Structures are given as structure tokens and as C-alpha cells.
Amino acid sequence: MSRVFAGLALVHHSAWPACEIIARHLVAGGECPRNLMPFLDDAHQVGLLRVVGPVYQFRHADLRDHLAGRSKG
């Protein structure tokens, strides 16, 4: 992963190619769904996420913390 970030730091680019490279890397590692936008839209429709401007946010802090690997106590 560090090679990916190093390569991005050395090249002048817009944000979109960088986002695409990172997304592909996360999908290949099983850390991100292949079709991210439909996944986020579904999570929004069932109430797990809310949309604030261009950003998706978790509606429940406990779920966010659980998915991030942080637990209370």
C-alpha cells in the first residue's frame, strides 16, 4: 500500500485518478465493495447512512466505531 501512496505523491494529478487507484487497491484487498456507489445508496435507503452535501455519514456512532474496530469499554 505504501508504494501506491508513494507513486501518487510523485505524480501531478487530479483527485479522480488517485481515487480510482485507491478504490481498486481496496477492492483487490477485499476492504471495499466492488460497486461502491450502489452499496452506499442501499445503505442510505435502509437508514444506515445519511447524506450531508457530497458526504455519506454513519447515522449511528456505535456502528461506525464497531466497523472501525473500536469498542467501548
Side-chain angles (χ1 to χ4, degrees), residues 12-70:
H12 294 291
H13 61 277
S14 70
W16 286 112
C19 180
E20 184 69 23
I21 291 167
I22 295 300
R24 287 177 187 256
H25 183 77
L26 293 173
V27 167
E31 299 177 53
C32 179
R34 181 172 302 279
N35 298 317
L36 184 58
M37 291 311 295
F39 173 80
L40 292 174
D41 289 339
D42 287 346
H44 176 251
Q45 288 180 359
V46 298
L48 295 175
L49 299 175
R50 64 178 170 222
V51 178
V52 179
V55 177
Y56 284 97
Q57 296 178 339
F58 282 102
R59 294 184 61 83
H60 308 285
D62 291 339
L63 175 62
R64 178 198 63 220
D65 292 344
H66 173 74
L67 294 173
R70 297 177 289 200

